[in-house]
Amino acid sequence: MLDRLPFLVGLRYVRAERRNHFISFISLTSMLGLMLGVAVLILVLSVMNGFDHELRTRILGMVPHAKIEARDGLVEWETLAERLVQRERVVGAAPFIEQQGMFSMGGRNEGVMAYGIHPDWEDQVSIIGQHMLEGDLSDLVPGEWNVVLGAMLARNLGVGVGDRVTLLVPEASITPAGVFPRFKRFTVSGIFSVGAELDANLAYAHLEDMQTLARMGDAVDGVRLELDDLFAAGSVTRAIINELGPNYRGSDWTFSHGNLFQAIQMEKRMIALLLTVIIAVAAFNIVSTLVMVVTDKRADIAILRTIGATPRSIMGIFIVQGLAIGVIGIAVGVTLGVVLAWTISDLIGWVESTLGIQFLDAGVYFISDLPSRLHWADVRDIVLAAFGLTFLSTLYPAWRAARVQPADVLRYE
């Protein structure tokens, strides 16, 4: 019976009505603090995981993991692409021509990064074919001067499929009438949307059309690579350049979007630390609760000691009581946090449609909706951290209770 004493009495203290309502209020506050802290931490980490996932799939699905470029242009790109695909970690390769310019239509001008691509090869390194709203990459036929625009770019220009736009490139053409910027009329044959900032500044034309516009003959700028592990991009690129020689240069996604990825990781760690402090504050409120309970239950402790309860059993009673308060708060917090993590995207979408506002403007942020991905490993770590902090907060009050002397207490009862 004495072996079960800590659990029986500790759980009874949790359920019992107290004469001191302030103790009940502090106990409820501690429980609510743990619940909210755990729920918010699960939700925030899930949202940060969602941003991280979107960065990898959307942004890095359009941006090449690595690029291998020839200093004077690459003519035999097919041979190089087939050779690179045979390397470890390289799962796809495709040629490209990169050209900065400006699209003009009806007095509207938009800066753009225009890529010359080969439709038959592009699926190996890009997800653009999976995000076409109108048209298809196969509509990019050499000689027809078709172009595929991002949805936001098309909207800013006020064009749709079938409309014609003018691409001006920052190179001059010398004619008998003088020096003029080079330009070419394209027909919009497709529109894509990945829900990111890339929709506002990317355009794709056929490789041969861009070769003609850039006066490159049969050469291309280089080859883009898709890797099975994007974090290996740096080492793979360096190894390829060392093998190919000094006439080649390489770059990877960390040059263009590495800072964004690192910022998300840093924000995730800092937010997790700050919210863990909130959980710690809520957990250590249990100290106040148990100290007041110990003071209120001094007579009960003395009686238990006189009937044979050991100091260890007395400590166990208040540890069980504190852990019960913590476990209830953590359990409710985990349930609430998991439900919110699963539904926050739909909830935010409903709020946006109801109030007619947009929390994430794709023109400012790299995505236009709030992503969320629940990782059970995060939930496990949060639960263990919250439980550990709760356990630590019970030790001092329980130790104080174990030091109560029955003779000193019962003398005045």
Side-chain angles (χ1 to χ4, degrees):
M1 180 66 180
L2 291 177
D3 291 337
R4 300 171 56 193
L5 182 67
F7 294 97
L8 294 174
V9 178
L11 295 177
R12 182 176 179 180
Y13 279 174
V14 174
R15 300 191 306 269
E17 293 287 339
R18 296 188 178 89
R19 297 186 300 271
N20 190 336
H21 294 291
F22 184 68
I23 297 178
S24 299
F25 173 75
I26 295 297
S27 177
L28 180 62
T29 301
S30 302
M31 193 180 299
L32 290 176
L34 279 170
M35 179 192 73
L36 292 176
V38 168
V40 171
L41 185 52
I42 290 174
L43 175 60
V44 170
L45 290 185
S46 296
V47 171
M48 298 303 292
N49 290 334
F51 275 105
D52 177 77
H53 176 75
E54 293 301 318
L55 172 64
R56 299 191 191 192
T57 56
R58 292 194 189 185
I59 303 297
L60 297 182
M62 299 290 289
V63 175
H65 292 175
K67 293 192 298 185
I68 305 299
E69 301 176 82
R71 299 187 184 277
D72 300 319
L74 180 63
V75 177
E76 298 180 356
W77 60 265
E78 291 188 39
T79 302
L80 178 61
E82 293 172 356
R83 173 182 170 188
L84 293 178
V85 169
Q86 302 302 317
R87 294 182 62 92
E88 184 180 4
R89 294 199 176 280
V90 179
V91 296
F96 75 96
I97 293 177
E98 188 177 72
Q99 179 70 66
Q100 286 185 329
M102 181 174 67
F103 273 118
S104 178
M105 173 61 180
R108 299 181 181 182
N109 301 306
E110 293 290 334
V112 67
M113 182 65 74
Y115 282 95
I117 63 171
H118 198 297
D120 296 336
W121 291 68
E122 189 64 15
D123 286 343
Q124 297 186 39
V125 298
S126 173
I127 62 172
I128 181 177
Q130 306 167 23
H131 293 269
M132 296 295 296
L133 299 181
E134 298 181 67
D136 192 84
L137 286 183
S138 60
D139 296 331
L140 299 178
V141 178
E144 294 189 3
W145 297 95
N146 291 333
V147 66
V148 172
L149 304 180
M152 190 175 300
L153 177 60
R155 185 165 59 249
N156 293 340
L157 291 170
V159 299
V161 172
D163 293 331
R164 293 176 66 82
V165 294
T166 302
L167 175 62
L168 291 85
V169 297
E171 296 181 14
S173 296
I174 301 176
T175 69
V179 179
F180 295 93
R182 190 181 308 167
F183 63 91
K184 182 63 182 179
R185 297 276 284 178
F186 284 83
T187 300
V188 179
S189 64
I191 296 175
F192 70 87
S193 175
V194 293
E197 63 178 354
L198 301 177
D199 292 342
N201 53 35
L202 284 187
Y204 294 90
H206 195 278
L207 188 70
E208 293 184 17
D209 292 342
M210 292 301 292
Q211 286 174 329
T212 302
L213 180 64
R215 298 177 180 176
M216 297 182 63
D218 295 330
V220 300
D221 285 335
V223 175
R224 293 181 294 167
L225 303 179
E226 177 84 4
L227 308 180
D228 60 359
D229 181 6
L230 61 91
F231 294 106
S235 60
V236 171
T237 303
R238 287 191 296 271
I240 292 174
I241 295 302
N242 290 336
E243 180 181 316
L244 294 177
N247 290 329
Y248 293 84
R249 61 177 180 268
S251 61
D252 60 80
W253 66 272
T254 59
F255 287 91
S256 57
H257 291 82
N259 290 338
L260 178 60
F261 180 82
Q262 292 173 2
I264 291 177
Q265 294 298 311
M266 179 61 70
E267 288 175 3
K268 180 180 177 181
R269 288 192 290 267
M270 293 305 299
I271 289 175
L273 177 61
L274 293 175
L275 292 178
T276 301
V277 172
I278 295 177
I279 294 176
V281 171
F284 283 107
N285 279 340
I286 296 176
V287 175
S288 303
T289 301
L290 293 183
V291 166
M292 288 187 287
V293 171
V294 169
T295 302
D296 191 52
K297 301 293 185 181
R298 285 171 61 86
D300 294 353
I301 295 171
I303 292 173
L304 289 172
R305 288 293 306 276
T306 58
I307 63 175
T310 63
R312 183 175 180 178
S313 296
I314 300 300
M315 282 190 68
I317 291 172
F318 293 96
I319 289 176
V320 168
Q321 182 183 358
L323 289 179
I325 294 172
V327 167
I328 294 173
I330 293 170
V332 176
V334 167
T335 303
L336 180 61
V338 169
V339 171
L340 286 175
W342 280 340
T343 61
I344 189 64
S345 298
D346 295 333
L347 181 61
I348 293 297
W350 176 80
V351 171
E352 288 180 338
S353 62
T354 302
L355 301 180
I357 59 177
Q358 187 174 13
F359 290 105
L360 296 177
D361 185 353
V364 178
Y365 304 97
F366 72 90
I367 61 173
S368 57
D369 55 353
L370 188 67
S372 177
R373 288 181 66 85
L374 180 66
H375 291 175
W376 290 108
D378 290 339
V379 177
R380 177 201 63 202
D381 295 340
I382 292 169
V383 169
L384 291 177
F387 186 83
L389 291 171
T390 301
F391 176 74
L392 291 176
S393 68
T394 65
L395 295 181
Y396 174 72
W399 177 74
R400 285 280 303 272
R403 296 192 63 190
V404 171
Q405 299 299 321
D408 294 338
V409 176
L410 296 178
R411 180 182 302 141
Y412 302 103
E413 292 293 328

